[in-house]
Amino acid sequence: MKDQESKPKKIIILVGPSGSGKTTLGRDLSDKGYKKLVTTTTRKPRPGEVDGRDYYFRDEADLEPSDFVEQTTYNNHTYGLTKAEIEASLKQFDVVHVSLDRNGAQALKELWPKESVVIFIAISEEVMAERMLKRGESQDLVDQRLDYCRRTGELEPPSLADYVLENQDLKESLTRIQAIIEKEI
């Protein structure tokens, strides 16, 4: 039991713009047995999304800001990761993962610096637009998102990134992320 307790705990944080593949890669990590940290949002579920698996879908009135590591607003919806979700998951699992924006990654890395490993999933504007359209986003939303990325530099890796991964092929990217996890633990 002592060896198990001394094993380092790791939070794999996937960061990247819309369409980078971070959600798909996160789902693939979950399929490989890694626990997903579930974030909370005030937006409505997309087709196929399940409360408690993809997000905790909540009303704005139900959210207490002090419960969160970070919160962000995107398209008039609040997103955030609770401290309780992280603490409970790290008690049960050696490696957990989450997809966050760069501000969320920064906040998480500040509170759990030894545990946090930030992987930036890089993508070009062209591929981003193509993937967003393919998943059913409107051209207007894609244009807004591209404009946001240009203004904020979201397509560039943040300085806090421990690794930068160009996601050309999902299977290869997953293999590379698993290699990073093995290296980190």
Side-chain angles (χ1 to χ4, degrees):
M1 186 71 174
K2 192 170 178 90
D3 285 341
Q4 210 172 21
E5 288 178 27
S6 65
K7 193 170 189 178
K9 303 284 187 168
K10 291 296 172 184
I11 306 168
I12 305 303
I13 307 166
L14 302 177
V15 177
S18 289
S20 64
K22 65 184 177 293
T23 302
T24 302
L25 288 166
R27 193 168 25 252
D28 291 345
L29 285 172
S30 293
D31 290 346
K32 295 288 184 183
Y34 297 104
K35 164 75 166 98
K36 176 188 175 197
L37 295 176
V38 180
T39 55
T40 299
T41 184
T42 59
R43 76 162 170 77
K44 298 294 179 210
R46 292 178 182 148
E49 288 182 329
V50 175
D51 185 54
R53 182 192 72 194
D54 299 294
Y55 288 94
Y56 295 113
F57 296 99
R58 301 292 181 262
D59 290 326
E60 190 76 40
D62 297 334
L63 304 182
E64 182 60 50
S66 63
D67 293 340
F68 290 83
V69 171
E70 56 79 38
Q71 282 185 312
T72 189
T73 301
Y74 175 67
N75 280 345
N76 299 316
H77 298 291
T78 301
Y79 293 81
L81 180 62
T82 64
K83 296 169 192 168
E85 174 73 8
I86 298 165
E87 290 164 357
S89 296
L90 286 178
K91 280 182 184 171
Q92 283 190 289
F93 302 95
D94 293 329
V95 179
V96 297
H97 68 92
V98 65
S99 296
L100 296 173
D101 68 10
R102 58 185 66 220
N103 293 330
Q106 178 70 41
L108 187 51
K109 198 164 186 164
E110 285 173 9
L111 290 174
W112 281 273
K114 287 187 233 168
E115 294 84 359
S116 296
V117 178
V118 178
I119 302 172
F120 181 76
I121 311 299
I123 190 173
S124 69
E125 281 188 29
E126 296 77 20
V127 173
M128 178 183 157
E130 178 184 308
R131 287 181 182 170
M132 288 181 72
L133 288 168
K134 208 179 268 187
R135 73 178 185 204
E137 304 288 354
S138 69
Q139 185 63 54
D140 187 48
L141 183 61
V142 171
D143 292 342
Q144 288 175 27
R145 191 67 177 129
L146 285 169
D147 180 59
Y148 174 82
C149 285
R150 288 181 199 115
R151 284 186 288 109
T152 63
E154 191 178 18
L155 293 168
E156 299 300 317
S159 59
L160 62 94
D162 298 298
Y163 300 91
V164 176
L165 187 142
E166 182 80 33
N167 184 18
Q168 304 275 342
D169 177 82
L170 285 169
K171 189 174 179 181
E172 179 187 321
S173 295
L174 179 62
T175 299
R176 290 178 59 199
I177 292 171
Q178 289 180 282
I180 291 168
I181 293 170
E182 290 303 313
K183 177 181 173 186
E184 291 288 337
I185 58 172

